[in-house]
Amino acid sequence: MPHSCSASNRTLAVICLGLVLAAAQAEAQSLLPDSFFIDRPAFSQPEQPGKPASCESIAAQLPDSIPADSRIDMAIAGTVSLVRTDGALWYVAVCAEPGVRVLCVTYGAGDLKPGDKAVLRGGYNRQDERHVLLDPCLASPESGAGAGEQ
């Protein structure tokens, strides 16, 4: 009897694992073709480095849309215009109006403050013509080398 109970537990575990893996595959994000990234150096596949755009150059690179099941990352270098927290998340913004504004949602802003030069990298989500949300995102001080393109 214990042997049959043990086999039954293993079978149940294998079925559960199969269901979990199937659900994860169903939620998997599709990758965009390499052609999407031509003339968009600030954009990259998820978790891959892109060349940070400048606030002046980003508008020309923004896609009108991406497939709902896709994730792409964007990198931008600019002057920090906002640093706020709600106690759990931090919000760091770069680029001033009338251009495209970019807001980074992150778990920490380090020592960044308004006026600092920073690089934001994260999951791209276009809110409207003038607003981009990067979530999840990392915000770091601009190091100079390869920071923002001209």
Side-chain angles (χ1 to χ4, degrees):
M1 187 73 150
H3 179 69
S4 132
C5 182
S6 168
S8 175
N9 287 343
R10 277 185 292 217
T11 302
L12 183 58
V14 168
I15 291 171
C16 288
L17 180 60
L19 290 173
V20 168
L21 291 175
Q25 273 187 327
E27 291 181 8
Q29 297 167 335
S30 64
L31 295 179
L32 293 176
D34 289 341
S35 61
F36 174 87
F37 301 97
I38 294 173
D39 297 325
R40 291 189 176 113
F43 288 86
S44 64
Q45 298 287 5
E47 309 300 326
Q48 300 300 311
K51 179 181 178 185
S54 67
C55 292
E56 296 75 27
S57 69
I58 193 58
Q61 295 185 45
L62 296 178
D64 291 328
S65 65
I66 61 168
D69 68 340
S70 297
R71 175 182 161 187
I72 58 172
D73 283 4
M74 187 185 97
I76 187 160
T79 301
V80 175
S81 59
L82 170 103
V83 178
R84 296 270 193 285
T85 185
D86 61 11
L89 297 172
W90 285 84
Y91 305 92
V92 179
V94 297
C95 306
E97 293 182 315
V100 174
R101 306 231 26 222
V102 180
L103 180 67
C104 169
V105 179
T106 185
Y107 287 108
D111 293 328
L112 289 175
K113 59 190 176 308
D116 288 350
K117 301 287 187 185
V119 175
L120 309 181
R121 298 177 186 275
Y124 172 81
N125 187 322
R126 188 151 185 191
Q127 301 297 296
D128 59 36
E129 188 176 308
R130 298 268 183 226
H131 297 93
V132 169
L133 179 69
L134 300 180
D135 185 12
C137 179
L138 294 175
S140 58
E142 186 177 78
S143 65
E149 68 180 41
Q150 301 303 318

